[in-house]
Amino acid sequence: QATDSKREQFRQYLEKSGVLDMLTKVLVALYEEPEKPDSALDFLKHHLGASAPENPEIEALRLEVAEMKEKYEAVLEENKKLKTKVKVY
């Protein structure tokens, strides 16, 4: 009976936190897919991840990556110019 009580408490926790509703929606979406994906697990991961709130750390990392790409492009351009100057000498 203790395990049944724990299971019920856990089920209630999942229900209150919206997990059961979210899982149900994603599983219904998978069920209604006309062409089933090769990987049901990837489908679930994609749809659950897409509906999760954006983590501020992830956004900060995206901005940092964008800045690094800009710096990289600038360094490549500078490298090109310096190679041209070296050829002249």
Side-chain angles (χ1 to χ4, degrees), residues 3 5 13 17-18 20 37 39 47 50 62 66 69 72 80 84:
T3 56
S5 174
Y13 162 73
S17 62
L20 289 180
S39 173
H47 283 79
R62 282 191 181 125
K69 283 181 180 178
Y72 172 75
K80 213 185 255 186
T84 305

Side-chain angles (χ1 to χ4, degrees), residues 25-40:
K25 287 178 183 177
V26 173
L27 289 172
V28 167
L30 177 59
Y31 176 77
E32 292 176 346
E33 275 292 308
E35 291 187 31
K36 302 296 182 243
D38 292 333
S39 173

Side-chain angles (χ1 to χ4, degrees), residues 42-55:
D42 286 344
F43 180 91
L44 293 174
K45 286 179 182 178
H46 173 73
H47 283 79
L48 288 174
S51 61
E54 190 64 38
N55 184 339

Side-chain angles (χ1 to χ4, degrees), residues 61-77:
L61 289 172
R62 282 191 181 125
L63 289 172
E64 187 177 347
V65 167
E67 289 174 16
M68 291 296 135
K69 283 181 180 178
E70 286 179 24
K71 288 180 181 179
Y72 172 75
E73 293 298 325
V75 167
L76 282 180
E77 189 61 36

